[in-house]
Amino acid sequence: MVNGRFLFTSESVSMGHPDKLADQISDGILDALIAEDPTSRVACETLVATGMAIVAGEITTKAAINYPDVVRQVIRDVGYTSDSMGFNYETCAVLVSLRRQSPDIAMGVNADTARGKPIGAGDQGMMFGYAINHTPELMPLPISLAHRILQRLTEIRQRGEVGWLRPDSKSQVTVEFDGPVPVRVDTVVVSTQHSDDITQKEIRDFVIEKVVNPILPPDLVNGEIKYYVNPTGRFVTGGPHGDTGVTGRKIIVDTYGGWAKHGGGAFSGKDPTKVDRSAAYMARHIAKNIVAAGLADRCEVQLAYAIGVADPVSIYVDTDGTGKVEERVLCQAIREVFPLTPGGIIEYLDLLRPIYRKTASGGHFGRNLPEFTWEKTDRISDLLDAVGRA
């Protein structure tokens, strides 16, 4: 952790951002498949551009779904419902190119009860989870504020409080810190797509007064905040008509806003045998329980896997000097308290449910929704007992 005063910035993007639209389509397909066949193996990628959505990837399933219908429903729900926006769920082309999962991968991942082989990891890689006591949900403050601003903006649009808002928007929040402590909000950036019949001043005044200021913590508004609202002066052309979107391009938005490390693997469109997703969820769950238990003020957990192998090849914990016990003790307690094989994680977090489209906008972490089992802090006493025995 940097000592002294410094600025840190995180961004979020709305459900109508092209990349996030692609994520939601991929996870919408995953949900539809899991709802019919929970054992579906899914690696689904989406590209959206002017007038089209392209879905490709590898899927092995017993489910029978209408892929174009799922794609159009997601686009409609996000809000692209008129040709005047440059993208319309009714008129866009939907192209589908899907094949079965590679048998070479399936051989390593599938369980074989006769041989006593459990589910293996769907890929190699390292996944990170993080928690910090900046906020009640134990998330870094800059990304938490950026998410909240867009959540409020989206709710206003969906309720129809104003008629000029469109689905595509981005936020960015810069917070000043004194060591680990946030002391002041320094800069807020909001860019929101809008209709052509509204002035820049009206947009700026509305966004600052009705969207941003109600979100900012009053105790951190103690200086001259710099506001940048649609800084180019115009944002009429947006969504897939303004910029191509692809699944998996907003992994920092999905996680901790750059405050913590990222293993590099995207989440959306992947079933939970892919440890890119499920192990990242478990690592967050572990880190959050460690901080909630008072064992550290901040905690980063790394899990690493080899394709086809069930047990992690390594566990790493970093409390950045705030731990109440040694990291080696925490690693030992983690192995004792939490299941870390792909099959164990799937069962423990109850991941074979159609819960994933909701994760694909607003961040995968820091949202205490009943479906987001990885956000529970229900292992505090178990962790404390395990640490006490070490």
Side-chain angles (χ1 to χ4, degrees), residues 31-306:
D31 279 355
L33 293 168
I34 285 181
E36 288 192 22
D37 176 12
T39 65
S40 297
R41 297 289 167 77
V42 182
C44 180
E45 314 290 343
T46 302
L47 179 146
V48 291
T50 301
M52 69 169 61
I54 302 172
V55 176
E58 298 78 46
I59 293 176
T60 302
T61 184
K62 300 182 182 71
I65 68 170
N66 187 310
Y67 290 97
D69 283 356
V70 173
V71 172
R72 294 185 192 280
Q73 185 63 50
V74 173
I75 296 169
R76 180 179 185 274
D77 291 346
V78 168
Y80 288 110
T81 57
S82 169
D83 288 333
S84 65
M85 299 180 191
F87 199 72
N88 185 345
Y89 80 100
E90 290 186 298
T91 59
C92 69
V94 178
L95 308 178
V96 179
S97 177
L98 297 168
R99 61 187 183 277
R100 291 177 61 84
Q101 182 185 55
S102 162
D104 296 344
I105 295 175
M107 179 174 60
V109 176
N110 291 344
D112 187 339
T113 54
R115 292 169 38 209
K117 178 187 176 299
I119 294 174
D123 203 350
Q124 71 176 45
M126 66 286 189
M127 300 82 209
F128 288 92
Y130 189 78
I132 189 168
N133 59 6
H134 284 174
T135 65
E137 63 272 23
L138 303 182
M139 285 289 285
L141 183 62
I143 187 65
S144 180
L145 293 178
H147 283 326
R148 290 180 209 169
I149 287 169
L150 287 191
Q151 181 181 2
R152 183 171 177 83
L153 186 68
T154 297
E155 289 171 352
I156 289 171
R157 174 178 66 85
Q158 291 177 330
R159 289 196 299 261
E161 293 184 22
V162 294
W164 48 266
L165 281 171
R166 297 293 181 261
D168 191 0
S169 55
K170 303 174 75 172
S171 67
Q172 185 171 286
V173 177
T174 301
V175 177
E176 183 177 0
F177 289 83
D178 188 356
V181 180
V183 296
R184 174 178 85 85
V185 176
D186 181 83
T187 306
V188 177
V189 183
V190 178
S191 296
T192 183
Q193 186 186 11
H194 57 88
S195 63
D196 204 12
D197 57 355
I198 187 79
T199 68
Q200 170 68 6
K201 183 180 185 307
E202 289 175 292
I203 297 171
R204 176 182 170 84
D205 290 347
F206 181 87
V207 168
I208 292 173
E209 295 173 15
K210 302 297 185 181
V211 179
V212 175
N213 285 346
I215 294 298
L216 301 182
D219 59 323
L220 298 183
V221 183
N222 57 2
E224 185 72 20
I225 297 178
K226 297 182 283 290
Y227 295 98
Y228 296 97
V229 179
N230 284 11
T232 68
R234 179 180 170 88
F235 189 3
V236 173
T237 302
H241 186 49
D243 190 13
T244 299
V246 180
T247 299
R249 287 207 301 203
K250 287 293 177 282
I251 57 178
I252 297 302
V253 173
D254 286 341
T255 52
Y256 308 101
W259 186 273
K261 297 186 186 73
H262 194 293
F267 300 155
S268 289
K270 296 178 181 178
D271 75 83
T273 65
K274 279 72 173 174
V275 285
D276 278 342
R277 181 170 221 158
S278 54
Y281 290 178
M282 179 57 93
R284 160 65 177 171
H285 179 63
I286 294 168
K288 189 174 183 182
N289 274 269
I290 287 172
V291 174
L295 292 169
D297 294 334
R298 48 191 177 270
C299 180
E300 186 173 73
V301 174
Q302 184 202 60
L303 303 174
Y305 292 84

